[in-house]
Amino acid sequence: MRTTVGIIGAGPAGLLLARLLHRAGIDSVVLESRDRAYVEHRQRAGILEQGTVDVLRAVGAGERMDQEGLRHDGIELRFDRRRHRVDLPGLTGGRSVTVYAQTEVCKDLIALQLKGGGPLLFEAEALAVEGADGDRPRIRFRYRGREDVLECDYAVGCDGFWGVARAAFPAALSHVFERTYPYAWLGVLADVAPSHDELVYARHDRGFALLSMRPPVTRHHPSKEVASLPVESFVSRLYLQVPAGTNADDWTDDEIWTELERRCETDDDWRLERGPITQKSVTPMRSFVHEPMRHGRLFLAGDSAHIVPPTGAKGLNLAVGDVVTLARALVHEKETGSADLLDAYSATCLRRVWQAERFSYDMTTMLHPAPDATPFDARLQRARLERIASSRAAETDLAEAYTGFPLG
């Protein structure tokens, strides 16, 4: 099998890259180790920066997002029983974010790829990337019970932290920067209307809490008498800071709701809405960057190159920034014959990556009490929040980072 760009991984990074290349007349093949149902249902990030929204619209993947996604013009910070709203458009010249789950982004991009894009092979497990430092890199993969080889001009690893692409980098070339946090997020999905119409980030001495949501799901009424009438089902996405290594099943539903109420309490009449919890999971917290993001004709994008703690909502958006930068460089090489942008790919991406790492670290350490935190540490956290609440300059810095750094 032969193509111009071989893409490992059909997450949002790989799928969007394939779409960008297709629109530029550059052929590609996408290899995905999982089946289509798994890719379209795995739960991941749900906050899209302004730049991500704009790119999805530009490639024809914005119709359902615009219909079902929830535009948010602000976030709320809570601390010491107080509430402070950050006006995103007012501080950034009009930028906002959109709540639209990664699963839905993948569904939209998969439909476009299968309808008119290049080959997208599900259950095609990449085994290794070979010859990255030559003119014809090869991706060995297993598909339908037999091994095959995809020869390409360029190989791109969009295969996540545990994928094979990063393993093809020589040890002498690889530099890893990482931090593991001593806490995690207990995340739940609940069939209940959100308790606030925007995301709430709460700092409490007992630990961090986040109130989020998913766009409403339309279902048919279970009663036969009104079976033809659709019912709009609201879904809340809620998180609690818990010790690293926590088992989600150790928390009862009542304990989760009670703890969310404690950590999000305010001095006004706000109340937390309760409902049936349908899913529980624990997300570890870590920061990770691999430098460089290019070796020869092999490029890394998304989680294969960098991980951020979810506090800043940057993971999916960083992946989008990577593939927009790479697609631009590949189109430039096709049109001009110059490899200048390809040569600059790693440095260009890493500038954005490190700003996102900085922002995610700042948000995480400002809102999460560490297990060994002292009273001094707690006062510093409050001081940082007070600064944002009282200084337009500090508030603007947060809003600009939250809505997204420039792509490329």
Side-chain angles (χ1 to χ4, degrees), residues 277-290:
I277 291 177
T278 60
Q279 185 182 112
K280 301 177 188 176
S281 62
V282 172
T283 301
M285 305 280 281
R286 64 186 317 214
S287 300
F288 171 89
V289 179
H290 179 278

Side-chain angles (χ1 to χ4, degrees), residues 24-103:
I26 299 174
D27 63 291
S28 68
V29 174
V30 182
L31 306 175
E32 168 55 48
S33 62
R34 303 284 192 164
D35 62 28
R36 181 177 179 179
Y38 180 88
V39 175
E40 291 188 337
H41 290 91
R42 55 185 167 191
Q43 293 293 327
R44 292 292 188 273
I47 305 297
L48 307 184
E49 296 174 355
Q50 183 69 63
T52 297
V53 169
D54 294 342
V55 169
L56 291 173
R57 287 175 180 153
V59 301
E63 181 178 357
R64 200 161 65 91
M65 174 187 67
D66 287 335
Q67 292 174 350
E68 302 177 11
L70 304 174
R71 172 180 164 138
H72 281 196
D73 288 337
I75 60 172
E76 184 172 285
L77 301 176
R78 292 193 186 180
F79 59 102
D80 295 340
R81 303 177 64 93
R82 297 165 48 195
R83 306 168 65 173
H84 176 76
R85 182 178 185 270
V86 178
D87 176 9
L88 299 176
L91 294 163
T92 63
R95 299 209 305 270
S96 63
V97 296
T98 296
V99 177
Y100 190 64
Q102 175 175 313
T103 52

